[in-house]
Amino acid sequence: MMGTETSEPLLHLDSGSTKPVHSSVPVPGWKEQITIRGLVVSAALGLLFCIITHKLNLTVGIIPSFNVAAGLLGFFLVKSLSRLGFTAAPFTKQENTVIQTCVVACYGLACSGGFGSYLLAMDNRTYNLIGPDYPGNRAEDIKNPGLGWMIGFMFLVSFPGIFSLTPLRKILLLDYKLTYPSGTATAMLINSFHTHTGAELAGKQVSCLGKYLSISFVWSCFKWFFSGIGDSCGFDHFPTLGLTLFKNTFYFDFNPTYVGCGLICPHIVNCSVLFGAIISRGFLWPYISQHAGDWYPADLGSTDFKGLYGYKVFIPISLILGDGLYNSIKIICITIKEICDKRSKQNNLPIVREVEDHDTSELLLERRKRDEVFLKDRIPTWFAASGYVGLAAISTATIPIIFPPLRWYLVLCSYVIAPALAFCNSYGSGLTDMSLASTYAKIGLFIIASLVGSDGGVIAGLAACGVMMSIVSTAADLMQDFRTGYLTLSSAKSMFVSQLVGTAIGCVIAPLTFWLFWSAFDIGDPDGPYKAPYIVIFREMAILGTVGFSELPKHCLAMCCAFFVGALVVNLLRDVTPEKVSQFIPLPMAVAVPFFIGAFFAIDMFVGTVILFAWERMNRKDAADYAGAVASGLICGDGIWTIPSAILAIFRINPPICMYFGPTLSS
């Protein structure tokens, strides 16, 4: 996993509710939709969201969808520039869509670029964390982060996905009428901004976002003064639920980012995370700890895989793999069934249904207008195909130079297989709004690692994982953006170009912002704030592909099998039970996260979901209108504070006060 990315539309609208836009309104040409101010705003927002994404990736690994926030902030910044007199050109919804697409493409590389997963899993810190004596963990399988090779690798693997499915955009969006819920919700929001009523609401949302951004920034600055030296000071270690629960990581750490994530993520995700924390930190780890000296040696270090740490890593791996396997098989089966079923267009696919009333003719005219705009600026099939083949050829020749164990023919095989997996992922994302890019990437990781074997299989598997993840993830993101562009009457060519520009910006900004974290903080320290939880998991997956399960502690493999099967059963129950029951069944992928990280962020996210739940009960409309803005403000404010915090750390300027909590001393 590149991080568990969660997404749910903040506006629960279907295409049938789309109100027609008057066809008499002229649609700007594709070149007019891409503006200098739009690119400047996109770069600024891309920088901000890359920092936020890195912070989430390196702390808890759960990343909410920022599509709606990108659209809202893009609207706010351009309007602000206009009011300040920097630009007088009219701001159209097409330009707003281009900005949103560019920003998503940019920060998407912070997710799929492996900065919290496969790239960091190659470094010396992760090697030492697992241990030099651990079978299959070889000193030769190390590649430390470097700005030069990371930027080069990003440019090699990030663009092919844009070309891979572009020729199929008409089939996926117009023929199959896939809804892509997040793309649809973003389009509805952008459309509403560019009406009189929507602009008024957008202004209030922006004001709300700015207010909570300021509060979050000031609070994060205030917390810094009490965080002292080391990892036990400050509000981040406040034993809000008592010292006994604090020892098991159950405490509220006053982190606005995680509270904001709780406001954005669906209730079931937040509750699943808390459920996982209770199972692991409340029962399972204390129970296993009681058997120290029997199941594993009692004198092992806290990061020795032959001890409790082995259970903490491999049990969540089994949950993640079980959940990923079930959902990948499910979506592949749905894809095959729907494509082969001749009646699927009428019965099974999520079709945009027409409203059978006096507005039907107007809606039909509007849909024809959208189809016309979407198909007008064609991206030639030969151009997309030759672009993919050319980029694949360059990567096949170049990637083995960066990662010698990954032979050229293995890179070529990855590029041959990737478009099929990208289609499955994009189709499934259109149906379910769930991207399984990380699951397909893990499959590639295991296969390549086992094919190469113990001599270089770890590096080869992790690098192949990066190739696969980038292609599959980028293709699905582009289809989401095509859906947004279709509903906002934006040119497909402007969407394609903005994706290319955003990706190019991200190839530079994502590594640079990561380097800020890498230089300022101790990334990967299991006792520090930036645990980077998935780097150990990814390296262990690669090691498993080469040597197997021989060195696991007692009963660990049996527990892993039980949790793997449990993930399959829970997913099956979610699909076969009625919705009124299935909505309360936890998500195995979300349950797995606190097994390794701890319970503190689960408490924060649950606080966010409780606030949202109460808000919805008191005023559902206000909650729907402003919850996303409040959440975005909390996340962005804390994310902005990361920049001065990192600069202070680089210059070794320490907080002046250490606020520490311990048991009362007896007299």
Side-chain angles (χ1 to χ4, degrees):
M1 248 179 343
M2 60 187 170
T4 303
E5 185 171 1
T6 63
S7 63
E8 179 171 283
L10 296 182
L11 299 177
H12 299 281
L13 299 171
D14 56 34
S15 300
S17 67
T18 304
K19 293 183 180 180
V21 183
H22 296 295
S23 299
S24 58
V25 177
V27 177
W30 75 270
K31 291 182 180 179
E32 297 172 354
Q33 297 174 21
I34 304 172
T35 63
I36 298 297
R37 71 178 176 189
L39 296 179
V40 171
V41 167
S42 298
L45 291 179
L47 174 66
L48 172 62
F49 284 115
C50 276
I51 291 172
I52 293 169
T53 302
H54 283 315
K55 181 170 184 178
L56 290 171
N57 232 345
L58 296 172
T59 51
V60 298
I62 292 182
I63 305 166
S65 173
F66 293 121
N67 293 45
V68 170
L72 176 61
L73 283 171
F75 178 86
F76 163 67
L77 288 181
V78 174
K79 286 293 186 181
S80 298
L81 289 173
S82 298
R83 287 170 184 167
L84 292 173
F86 287 104
T87 177
F91 182 45
T92 64
K93 61 183 178 181
Q94 288 81 12
E95 185 181 355
N96 203 161
T97 304
V98 165
I99 291 172
Q100 182 267 336
T101 299
C102 198
V103 172
V104 171
C106 181
Y107 91 78
L109 294 186
C111 295
S112 63
F115 300 104
S117 55
Y118 61 85
L119 284 188
L120 269 190
M122 303 177 186
D123 84 320
N124 189 62
R125 294 181 188 178
T126 311
Y127 163 76
N128 287 324
L129 192 61
I130 292 176
D133 298 330
Y134 191 82
N137 189 36
R138 307 187 315 149
E140 294 85 352
D141 294 326
I142 291 176
K143 189 169 185 64
N144 289 312
L147 266 180
W149 74 259
M150 287 193 304
I151 292 175
F153 184 68
M154 289 297 101
F155 272 102
L156 287 172
V157 301
S158 300
F159 289 94
I162 301 175
F163 290 87
S164 61
L165 293 188
T166 297
L168 301 180
R169 64 187 178 87
K170 178 180 179 295
I171 294 173
L172 291 171
L173 293 174
L174 300 188
D175 295 344
Y176 290 144
K177 295 182 174 65
L178 297 178
T179 55
Y180 290 97
S182 287
T184 298
T186 306
M188 297 301 101
L189 192 70
I190 291 174
N191 279 335
S192 72
F193 287 166
H194 296 270
T195 63
H196 178 68
T197 304
E200 290 181 0
L201 176 60
K204 294 178 182 178
Q205 289 174 326
V206 165
S207 176
C208 181
L209 185 148
K211 174 184 175 182
Y212 283 92
L213 185 150
S214 302
I215 292 172
S216 177
F217 181 84
V218 171
W219 171 248
S220 297
C221 178
F222 176 77
K223 285 201 307 177
W224 178 83
F225 283 93
F226 298 90
S227 57
I229 301 173
D231 299 316
S232 59
C233 304
F235 286 93
D236 291 345
H237 300 275
F238 196 111
T240 45
L241 302 177
L243 289 172
T244 302
L245 287 175
F246 178 80
K247 292 178 182 178
N248 289 329
T249 70
F250 283 94
Y251 58 92
F252 177 65
D253 72 347
F254 299 91
N255 192 309
T257 292
Y258 304 152
V259 176
C261 288
L263 285 166
I264 289 181
C265 291
H267 293 305
I268 187 61
V269 171
N270 300 315
C271 293
S272 297
V273 170
L274 182 62
F275 181 66
I278 293 171
I279 290 177
S280 59
R281 303 284 166 164
F283 296 101
L284 191 58
W285 301 159
Y287 174 76
I288 295 175
S289 298
Q290 293 175 2
H291 292 80
D294 179 16
W295 290 7
Y296 58 90
D299 57 348
L300 296 177
S302 61
T303 59
D304 196 314
F305 277 82
K306 297 178 182 178
L308 180 62
Y309 196 67
Y311 299 93
K312 290 183 178 181
V313 170
F314 287 102
I315 289 177
I317 285 177
S318 64
L319 271 172
I320 291 167
L321 292 178
D323 184 81
L325 177 65
Y326 179 90
N327 283 292
S328 60
I329 292 174
K330 169 187 168 183
I331 289 179
I332 288 172
C333 290
I334 290 174
T335 301
I336 294 173
K337 179 179 180 296
E338 298 293 353
I339 291 175
C340 294
D341 189 350
K342 294 181 180 179
R343 298 172 299 172
S344 62
K345 292 183 181 180
Q346 288 75 36
N347 300 326
N348 298 325
L349 286 173
I351 295 174
V352 181
R353 300 187 184 281
E354 311 298 346
V355 181
E356 298 296 337
D357 58 19
H358 63 278
D359 289 329
T360 299
S361 59
E362 190 174 359
L363 286 167
L364 285 171
L365 288 173
E366 181 57 29
R367 193 179 76 177
R368 288 171 187 163
K369 177 70 173 177
R370 288 191 173 115
D371 291 352
E372 177 189 340
V373 171
F374 187 70
L375 297 174
K376 178 183 176 183
D377 297 316
R378 294 183 178 275
I379 303 164
T381 301
W382 66 265
F383 175 77
S386 59
Y388 185 83
V389 171
L391 291 169
I394 295 171
S395 296
T396 300
T398 310
I399 288 178
I401 298 174
I402 303 175
F403 305 107
L406 187 61
R407 306 297 183 186
W408 67 269
Y409 51 86
L410 296 175
V411 179
L412 181 61
C413 288
S414 298
Y415 277 97
V416 171
I417 297 170
L421 297 179
F423 176 82
C424 292
N425 188 47
S426 297
Y427 193 102
S429 180
L431 288 172
T432 65
D433 204 34
M434 180 170 60
S435 174
L436 296 178
S438 60
T439 300
Y440 294 121
K442 292 188 196 78
I443 295 172
L445 185 157
F446 275 115
I447 292 174
I448 299 299
S450 60
L451 287 175
V452 175
S454 58
D455 187 14
V458 171
I459 292 294
L462 291 169
C465 172
V467 173
M468 201 73 71
M469 185 184 292
S470 295
I471 295 172
V472 175
S473 176
T474 304
D477 289 345
L478 181 59
M479 286 301 156
Q480 286 274 12
D481 291 331
F482 273 143
R483 173 65 177 173
T484 303
Y486 172 77
L487 292 175
T488 58
L489 294 177
S490 302
S491 166
K493 189 173 288 186
S494 69
M495 294 286 95
F496 183 79
V497 172
S498 64
Q499 184 86 6
L500 288 174
V501 173
T503 300
I505 295 172
C507 286
V508 177
I509 288 181
L512 285 174
T513 48
F514 165 75
W515 201 253
L516 181 70
F517 284 89
W518 179 258
S519 303
F521 306 110
D522 189 11
I523 304 299
D525 179 4
D527 298 318
Y530 293 95
K531 297 176 176 65
Y534 292 112
I535 60 176
V536 170
I537 289 177
F538 268 74
R539 189 173 183 92
E540 276 295 337
M541 286 182 180
I543 292 173
L544 285 179
T546 61
V547 301
F549 299 89
S550 58
E551 294 296 318
L552 295 182
K554 192 175 182 180
H555 301 306
C556 185
L557 182 58
M559 289 184 179
C560 288
C561 292
F563 277 93
F564 180 86
V565 174
L568 298 176
V569 172
V570 168
N571 274 300
L572 183 62
L573 287 174
R574 285 181 56 83
D575 285 338
V576 299
T577 55
E579 185 178 354
K580 62 182 180 181
V581 176
S582 65
Q583 64 179 330
F584 297 108
I585 299 177
L587 301 168
M589 190 78 75
V591 169
V593 178
F595 273 62
F596 185 75
I597 301 170
F600 60 93
F601 82 97
I603 302 293
D604 292 3
M605 292 182 67
F606 188 71
V607 168
T609 210
V610 168
I611 292 172
L612 180 60
F613 182 82
W615 194 355
E616 288 173 337
R617 291 298 175 273
M618 292 186 292
N619 192 327
R620 182 171 292 274
K621 184 179 184 303
D622 273 2
D625 288 342
Y626 298 108
V630 172
S632 299
L634 291 174
I635 294 170
C636 291
D638 194 35
I640 292 172
W641 167 249
T642 301
I643 300 174
S645 173
I647 293 172
L648 290 170
I650 290 171
F651 287 100
R652 301 293 184 265
I653 300 175
N654 297 314
I657 304 170
C658 173
M659 183 174 67
Y660 173 77
F661 298 88
T664 302
L665 297 176
S666 58
S667 57

